[in-house]
Amino acid sequence: MEEKTVKVLIIGSGPAGYTAGIYSSRANLNPVIYEGNQPGGQLTQTTEIENFPGYPEGVQGPEMMDQIRQQALRFGAEIVSKTIAEVDFSKRPFRCVDEDGNAIYAETVIVSTGASAKYLGLADEEKYRGLGVSACATCDGFFYRKKVVAVVGGGDTACEEALYLSTLARKVYLIVRKDYLRASEVMQKRVRDRENIEILFNTNTVGLFGEDGVEGAKVVEFKGTDKERVFDIEIDGFFLAIGHKPNTDIFRGQLDMDAEGYLLTAAPTTRTNVEGVFAAGDCADPIYRQAVSAAGTGCRAALDAERFLMEHS
């Protein structure tokens, strides 16, 4: 097994990790990026991106992430297509071990492991991913102007997504498995008052169908009861809004996080509770979860790491 010492270790890729790589490379910090088991992050599973600055005609997710990756490489970042499996932040340099057992000793660490959208677990979700199935209304809602969409979920996020989509789509179904909304009273009222949102309570989605993309969903009302009813709804898009899970399990017990696992930082910086460890992107952002905001925190984390190294050299 190999051992290596670095000034900056970036764990995770995506807009945050690669941007941190660009900035720390330009500061001559020779960063090493472990891009994980999904190089480029969630955007590599996204088709058209139209809300990232600099792409007036839009860009495919994998293409954009490859361009940002190439930019990091151009300035000298070393990119390793492996995962970090274990970390020890008890003392500096921090000891991190990759999936092959190689040890990396880092003066600073930037965590940019992202978050994963929660899905229902239907085979059809994978089948139609990028073909009508999405976990981000802000990212993909634009493509459903004057169309019919469904949003799954009953919390604030689901209501926000439904309200946003209702400004674009002709009709929005809000599919709620319980007989009530978990969202705040304000959000509930807004949804109920919006004429083109129809709430389907006590309803579960059991399948999707369509030729070249989503054309409808098969749903069950009052599943498992004597009132059970199975029916189809015609839709063009199917949006999951049942939450995200930050990819932070390996940091439990070492970095402070909230109840859902999002890393806590000392705003407005990207500092965590461990001096020399910084967090950027969706793993520390339960609110915005946008590529451009993730890239911004990647920049900030790199600058924070640079300042820390200057102060502790």
Side-chain angles (χ1 to χ4, degrees):
M1 302 303 173
E2 298 179 359
E3 290 189 357
K4 184 172 188 172
T5 300
V6 300
K7 291 180 180 178
V8 179
L9 172 64
I10 300 169
I11 304 176
S13 48
Y18 289 151
T19 301
I22 291 169
Y23 273 80
S24 48
S25 294
R26 286 172 56 84
N28 293 319
L29 297 178
N30 305 310
V32 174
I33 304 173
Y34 267 75
E35 56 186 356
N37 54 17
Q38 190 179 13
Q42 294 181 77
L43 288 185
T44 57
Q45 296 183 321
T46 302
T47 50
E48 193 81 6
I49 296 173
E50 293 193 323
N51 56 2
F52 197 93
Y55 296 94
E57 303 302 321
V59 63
Q60 295 291 303
E63 179 187 357
M64 187 181 86
M65 291 318 306
D66 184 61
Q67 289 176 352
I68 301 176
R69 185 181 191 272
Q70 292 302 320
Q71 192 171 358
L73 287 170
R74 175 193 164 202
F75 290 116
E78 178 185 344
I79 297 180
V80 182
S81 298
K82 293 179 183 176
T83 355
I84 294 295
E86 180 186 334
V87 298
D88 180 359
F89 293 154
S90 61
K91 61 180 181 179
R92 292 180 57 235
F94 306 116
R95 185 176 186 271
C96 303
V97 181
D98 70 19
E99 61 191 74
D100 293 335
N102 300 309
I104 304 96
Y105 291 89
E107 292 296 321
T108 61
V109 172
I110 295 173
V111 177
S112 57
T113 47
S116 303
K118 294 178 182 176
Y119 287 82
L120 297 174
L122 304 174
D124 290 336
E125 289 173 316
E126 191 61 39
K127 177 181 178 182
Y128 293 108
R129 188 173 295 189
L131 297 171
V133 171
S134 171
C136 181
T138 309
C139 310
D140 300 325
F142 183 78
F143 304 110
Y144 296 93
R145 288 172 298 173
K146 307 300 181 186
K147 296 185 178 182
V148 180
V149 299
V151 176
V152 178
D156 279 325
T157 299
C159 288
E160 287 172 7
E161 302 270 88
L163 286 165
Y164 173 74
L165 289 166
S166 71
T167 66
L168 301 167
R170 186 171 78 253
K171 179 170 184 172
V172 178
Y173 289 102
L174 182 57
I175 302 174
V176 186
R177 64 185 178 90
K178 297 181 182 290
D179 60 358
Y180 61 89
L181 292 171
R182 292 181 292 103
S184 63
E185 291 294 332
V186 173
M187 293 303 298
Q188 290 188 44
K189 185 177 187 309
R190 288 175 183 167
V191 167
R192 294 179 194 277
D193 289 347
R194 193 63 58 91
E195 290 183 357
N196 63 335
I197 296 179
E198 180 179 345
I199 306 174
L200 303 177
F201 287 113
N202 298 298
T203 302
N204 289 272
T205 307
V206 293
L208 302 169
F209 57 87
E211 288 297 321
D212 299 318
V214 171
E215 295 175 5
K218 185 174 291 295
V219 298
V220 181
E221 187 182 31
F222 297 110
K223 186 177 181 181
T225 72
D226 55 2
K227 294 192 293 183
E228 180 172 302
R229 180 171 73 100
V230 181
F231 61 99
D232 295 341
I233 55 173
E234 293 184 1
I235 57 173
D236 304 290
F238 185 74
F239 289 83
L240 281 303
I242 55 177
H244 284 71
K245 183 184 184 303
N247 305 319
T248 56
D249 285 349
I250 68 166
F251 309 113
R252 286 194 179 279
Q254 302 198 58
L255 297 181
D256 288 347
M257 53 184 73
D258 67 12
E260 295 181 3
Y262 288 96
L263 300 180
L264 300 178
T265 56
T269 74
T270 61
R271 294 195 307 265
T272 67
N273 60 296
V274 175
E275 283 197 353
V277 178
F278 308 90
D282 286 10
C283 66
D285 176 16
I287 300 173
Y288 301 104
R289 297 194 300 269
Q290 297 298 303
V292 67
S293 56
T297 57
C299 159
R300 288 162 51 200
L303 295 176
D304 287 342
E306 180 185 6
R307 292 189 184 111
F308 178 86
L309 289 169
M310 289 175 63
E311 293 168 0
H312 293 80
S313 58

